[in-house]
Amino acid sequence: WARAVRGLLLDISGVLYDSGGDGGVPIAGSVDAVRRIKASGLKLRFCTNETQATREKFVKKLQGMGFDISVAEVTAPAPAACRILKEHSLRPHLLVHNDLVPEFAEIDKANPNCVVIGDAAENFTYANLNEAFRLLVGMEKPVLISLGRGRYYKETDGLKLDVGAYMKALEYACDVQAEVVGKPAKTFFESALAEMGVPPQQAIMIGDDIENDVGGAQQCGMRALQVRTGKYRSVHTLHPALRGKREIN
């Protein structure tokens, strides 16, 4: 089946680098791996749930680490969320990281009629979560848009709670189901595949997250590989999302 592969989808955090307060560090061999993939002629798309910075700022950081990457090669949740907001005339209350706010510069945010939640990090205070709760519970038809649903991720100083934990809290409190924009949403993977011009049967997703990367890609008809870096843990080999998965170092 490998001979039929024409495109690769690469996760970034935990696969190419480990983030951290100091900007993060590349994972050994990852810079060269990206170079070799591009030299091979395979089509490549970087698929990330990164929501702590704009794509421009995020890519600039990766370029500074030596990665051959451009903004045009990155599929991320915030631009996709902006398209949804515009299409449905939604005005968001943003519960996101301060560095991500510029992605929503062209979106009307007056008199919010929905809540958008991302990996807000230190902005996940009780007061901020309670404000989002009050807005949602006061809506006749509450709309919650989440920029991913990851449980946790790895930084240089250890594992950190991801947006999914806070999304679930709002879902429970407000009796609402969030619309997830980003991995593992099928539309997210389909968008990345369309941008590459490759059908799912001819693409492979490589990530460190057994549910959002591997499980999400498989639900879209792709094969997937989980690396033993980032958030990888040995217990993942017993995970129900595992189906015909190989692990690579």
Side-chain angles (χ1 to χ4, degrees), residues 177-198:
Q177 183 170 350
E179 178 175 355
V180 177
V181 181
K183 297 175 292 185
K186 187 177 180 180
T187 53
F188 186 80
F189 286 107
E190 289 174 339
S191 176
L193 289 168
E195 288 161 350
M196 286 198 304
V198 175

Side-chain angles (χ1 to χ4, degrees), residues 89-247:
S89 300
L90 292 171
R91 304 178 303 277
H93 168 76
L94 299 176
L95 180 49
V96 299
H97 196 281
N98 291 339
D99 289 344
L100 189 70
V101 173
E103 289 274 19
F104 298 88
E106 297 181 3
I107 301 295
D108 182 6
K109 294 177 280 292
N111 190 24
N113 58 2
C114 73
V115 169
V116 172
I117 183 173
D119 182 11
E122 285 75 16
N123 283 346
F124 277 135
T125 64
Y126 175 81
N128 288 342
L129 281 165
N130 200 52
E131 183 179 6
F133 158 73
R134 286 178 172 177
L135 283 167
L136 286 168
V137 82
M139 297 175 188
E140 184 177 348
K141 295 181 179 180
V143 176
L144 174 61
I145 297 174
S146 183
L147 307 180
R149 73 172 193 202
R151 295 179 177 180
Y152 58 89
Y153 56 93
K154 182 183 177 183
E155 289 196 339
T156 51
D157 62 346
L159 299 177
K160 303 291 179 72
L161 276 177
D162 204 349
V163 62
Y166 303 96
M167 178 198 81
K168 286 294 184 181
L170 290 175
E171 282 187 329
Y172 176 71
C174 303
D175 193 22
V176 62
Q177 183 170 350
E179 178 175 355
V180 177
V181 181
K183 297 175 292 185
K186 187 177 180 180
T187 53
F188 186 80
F189 286 107
E190 289 174 339
S191 176
L193 289 168
E195 288 161 350
M196 286 198 304
V198 175
Q201 299 82 5
Q202 296 179 0
I204 298 177
M205 175 69 204
I206 300 176
D208 67 326
D209 190 313
I210 189 66
E211 293 187 5
N212 292 329
D213 295 331
V214 174
Q218 289 180 336
Q219 290 297 320
C220 195
M222 284 186 283
R223 294 179 183 270
L225 300 174
Q226 184 187 21
V227 294
R228 294 185 179 184
T229 53
K231 68 173 68 174
Y232 169 83
R233 298 168 64 202
S234 60
V235 295
H236 289 164
T237 58
L238 304 175
H239 197 281
L242 184 65
R243 189 176 75 246
K245 178 181 76 68
R246 288 180 59 197
E247 296 168 356

Side-chain angles (χ1 to χ4, degrees), residues 32-103:
D32 184 56
V34 171
R35 180 189 59 78
R36 292 170 61 190
I37 290 169
K38 289 195 169 185
S40 73
L42 288 170
K43 294 188 176 182
L44 178 61
R45 194 77 191 166
F46 299 92
C47 291
T48 178
N49 272 5
E50 170 64 40
T51 56
Q52 287 195 9
T54 62
R55 282 187 302 170
E56 288 77 9
K57 186 174 181 179
F58 185 49
V59 166
K60 186 176 181 180
K61 178 175 72 172
L62 293 170
Q63 289 172 340
M65 296 180 184
F67 288 103
D68 180 4
I69 183 174
S70 68
V71 173
E73 295 174 304
V74 177
T75 301
C82 287
R83 288 194 293 270
I84 292 173
L85 294 170
K86 290 178 179 178
E87 288 170 4
H88 297 279
S89 300
L90 292 171
R91 304 178 303 277
H93 168 76
L94 299 176
L95 180 49
V96 299
H97 196 281
N98 291 339
D99 289 344
L100 189 70
V101 173
E103 289 274 19

